[in-house]
Amino acid sequence: MSFLDTLKRSWNGLLGTRHIKGSRRGTANYSYLNARVRGMKSYLFPKETYPRLMNMEIDQIARFIQESAYKEDVDQLAQTYEGADLIEHALNRNLAESFTKLINISEDEPKYLITEYLRKFDVWNIKTILRGKQMNASPGEIKENLVSAGEYTYTFLSGLAEKESVEEVVEAFSDSSYYSILKKFDGTNLSDVENMLDKMYYDQLYYAVSETKTKEFKLFLQFVQTEIDVRNLITLFRTKKENLPEDEILDMMIDNGLVFDMDDIRKLVPLSFEEFIDELKKYSIWDKISDVVDPDMKSLISVETSLKKYALTYARKFAHANPLSIATIMYYILTKNNEVNNLRIVVRGKSAGLPDETIRNQLVI
Amino acid sequence: MVEPSIWTNPEGWKAIGAALAVGISAIATALAQREIGSAAVGAMIENEALFGKGLILTVIPEAIVIFGLVVALIIVG
């Protein structure tokens, strides 16, 4: 490690960021990484777990989770939290630990790709803190939703959650690329800032990856583009249902999708909900959602669940077709994230007293 | 008396053939073992019970270099 690297690492430590960026070049040991990731994946809950969880009380779920891969997280947090809060904190901690582990055990090319992808959690955390501050949530409530799987450490982020004002939070990011967007926040335009942060994340990710034309980068790019498609479609369904004005919808759209590029989206945006659904029939993705989409549908939950399932199935097929590549790792990241989301839905749904049917519809299995 | 040329001495060619048979098959084994070995170590870190299976899978490519060795012995012998 050169003197400059050491200096950079200490500087990053001072700023509350991890030194995690891998190099684009170099030989990557995919066989080692894939074996470890498959090992980590074997600890995930099988599909059959969710119906069992549905029949349990919160405390039973906590005990069940404590006996699984989440043991260490539940043990460590059991003194501070209890019930649904304990599970939520343990899940987030475990998610952050698992993804940080991925970064630590990888090197060069996969490390670069994983790091770029996990910046998603930086954006998520910034949005969580801003939203929390805007709604006057307590630091404890904000910390509950922080997932320090990206570049920023938990200590840095929880320090921000403790800050008094939004301005102080925004100032803390003055050295980052997010600052140009965050400084536009005036207390009233939170949703615009959130949209801009999301778009910036996907733009940066796309350009960071699309410049290099190796096999792994191309595979990774297809994952990202599929994710963009799914996000755009979910936004389109929601906004079309609510009849939002065209320019507002276009502002939320993310460029560089795989099936839907910006021209397709511009074609879809001016249509009414019924016409939009008719137009969707021309695309390959229609097969995946045709059985749950209906022009008179009241709730979009089933469509959103189907689309998320589509993203997972796509990732699974890709991982099977491309063993010993970044595809297996991306599939793990998606399934792990999905598992935590599912568990969170069960726990939060149960603690809010929602009917089992409502919770079951939200699960992506 | 004229010195025998290395190009016309059959013993020399045999030795070179044997060396190539062992050398190239050893490189092939090494390449295969690099991948399998690192994957086995990765799997073992996640689950220690895989030590036995990992070890067996890692030594399987040894067969390649043993075949090379047999061919070399036949050539030389």
Side-chain angles (χ1 to χ4, degrees):
Chain A
M1 192 162 56
S2 73
F3 174 68
L4 261 178
D5 280 342
T6 322
L7 203 67
K8 204 173 160 191
R9 192 171 281 211
S10 353
W11 177 244
N12 283 340
L14 284 176
L15 290 177
T17 56
R18 298 190 181 99
H19 179 81
I20 46 177
K21 198 162 175 173
S23 130
R24 253 167 216 255
R25 289 157 176 276
T27 51
N29 196 342
Y30 276 105
S31 29
Y32 170 76
L33 197 55
N34 268 275
R36 287 204 69 171
V37 168
R38 276 166 198 268
M40 286 159 77
K41 202 173 159 293
S42 66
Y43 295 118
L44 297 183
F45 291 129
K47 282 179 187 174
E48 302 79 52
T49 312
Y50 297 102
R52 276 174 63 201
L53 286 177
M54 296 296 293
N55 296 327
M56 292 183 192
E57 295 301 316
I58 296 285
D59 289 338
Q60 287 173 308
I61 298 177
R63 211 170 307 129
F64 178 81
I65 285 177
Q66 199 172 9
E67 285 160 10
S68 67
Y70 296 91
K71 183 180 186 315
E72 202 187 312
D73 308 284
V74 178
D75 285 349
Q76 289 223 354
L77 297 165
Q79 285 180 336
T80 330
Y81 307 98
E82 58 176 12
D85 288 345
L86 170 63
I87 302 178
E88 182 111 34
H89 272 277
L91 292 177
N92 284 343
R93 185 178 183 274
N94 188 280
L95 191 68
E97 296 253 312
S98 307
F99 290 167
T100 316
K101 181 177 165 186
L102 277 185
I103 294 171
N104 289 338
I105 61 174
S106 56
E107 53 182 9
D108 297 333
E109 189 183 84
K111 189 180 192 126
Y112 176 81
L113 293 174
I114 298 169
T115 311
E116 286 299 326
Y117 184 78
L118 291 181
R119 283 184 204 285
K120 177 191 252 192
F121 288 98
D122 288 333
V123 174
W124 160 279
N125 290 328
I126 295 173
K127 280 172 19 182
T128 306
I129 295 173
L130 285 185
R131 229 181 268 171
K133 290 284 153 210
Q134 171 98 338
M135 302 295 167
N136 288 324
S138 69
E141 283 170 325
I142 299 177
K143 283 181 201 169
E144 204 169 275
N145 291 302
L146 293 178
V147 183
S148 61
E151 197 178 3
Y152 297 110
T153 57
Y154 185 76
T155 324
F156 174 72
L157 293 167
S158 58
L160 292 183
E162 303 276 353
K163 293 224 189 293
E164 291 291 319
S165 68
V166 179
E167 288 74 28
E168 283 177 83
V169 175
V170 172
E171 266 327 296
F173 290 101
S174 57
D175 289 327
S176 74
S177 54
Y178 306 109
Y179 188 63
S180 56
I181 290 175
L182 290 176
K183 68 182 178 196
K184 291 180 189 154
F185 182 58
D186 59 8
T188 55
N189 57 349
L190 183 62
S191 60
D192 293 339
V193 170
E194 287 188 2
N195 281 338
M196 281 191 271
L197 282 173
D198 278 338
K199 281 173 85 163
M200 181 188 164
Y201 162 73
Y202 281 107
D203 279 350
Q204 281 188 348
L205 185 61
Y206 182 82
Y207 289 111
V209 177
S210 60
E211 282 169 10
T212 313
K213 301 275 184 229
T214 64
K215 182 193 158 217
E216 303 298 327
F217 275 71
K218 282 183 188 163
L219 281 177
F220 182 80
L221 197 59
Q222 288 197 33
F223 266 104
V224 174
Q225 288 183 304
T226 312
E227 196 176 300
I228 294 177
D229 277 341
V230 168
R231 281 196 71 136
N232 277 343
L233 267 185
I234 292 179
T235 317
L236 273 174
F237 267 106
R238 285 182 191 169
T239 49
K240 286 278 122 201
K241 190 83 190 152
E242 294 298 320
N243 271 328
L244 283 191
E246 276 178 45
D247 48 339
E248 268 186 49
I249 304 179
L250 268 178
D251 269 351
M252 292 180 212
M253 291 294 121
I254 303 162
D255 199 2
N256 302 318
L258 189 67
V259 183
F260 300 92
D261 59 18
M262 225 35 194
D263 290 338
D264 292 300
I265 287 172
R266 278 197 202 97
K267 235 190 293 170
L268 291 170
V269 166
L271 305 175
S272 69
F273 190 66
E274 290 76 17
E275 291 169 333
F276 163 67
I277 289 173
D278 266 345
E279 188 68 21
L280 273 187
K281 290 177 183 164
K282 294 179 188 162
Y283 294 92
S284 54
I285 207 166
W286 174 251
D287 297 344
K288 316 286 185 273
I289 51 172
S290 58
D291 49 343
V292 288
V293 176
D294 167 26
D296 303 321
M297 60 204 293
K298 288 203 172 62
S299 160
L300 292 175
I301 292 171
S302 49
V303 184
E304 290 184 15
T305 316
S306 303
L307 283 170
K308 284 174 192 164
K309 255 185 220 169
Y310 162 71
L312 276 178
T313 321
Y314 182 85
R316 193 185 69 228
K317 282 184 187 162
F318 230 61
H320 287 171
N322 300 284
L324 301 187
S325 74
I326 190 76
T328 327
I329 301 153
M330 291 305 294
Y331 179 47
Y332 171 75
I333 292 181
L334 292 186
T335 38
K336 176 77 190 175
N337 205 356
N338 186 50
E339 178 184 280
V340 168
N341 281 340
N342 279 344
L343 291 172
R344 201 182 283 153
I345 290 168
V346 174
V347 172
R348 284 294 168 203
K350 287 253 168 204
S351 62
L354 290 180
D356 280 4
E357 194 53 37
T358 316
I359 302 176
R360 204 169 290 128
N361 289 340
Q362 297 261 0
L363 295 178
V364 183
I365 308 173
Chain B
M1 192 182 143
V2 183
E3 284 258 321
S5 160
I6 52 163
W7 303 108
T8 52
N9 186 350
E11 288 303 314
W13 284 109
K14 270 177 156 181
I16 290 172
L20 286 177
V22 165
I24 294 173
S25 55
I27 291 171
T29 302
L31 289 175
Q33 281 191 337
R34 184 189 68 168
E35 296 292 320
I36 302 172
S38 55
V41 169
M44 260 179 248
I45 296 172
E46 294 300 325
N47 184 359
E48 279 183 36
L50 292 172
F51 178 76
K53 279 184 191 168
L55 193 69
I56 292 170
L57 289 173
T58 311
V59 298
I60 282 178
E62 294 287 340
I64 306 172
V65 73
I66 294 171
F67 292 148
L69 185 68
V70 170
V71 170
L73 289 175
I74 294 171
I75 294 173
V76 176

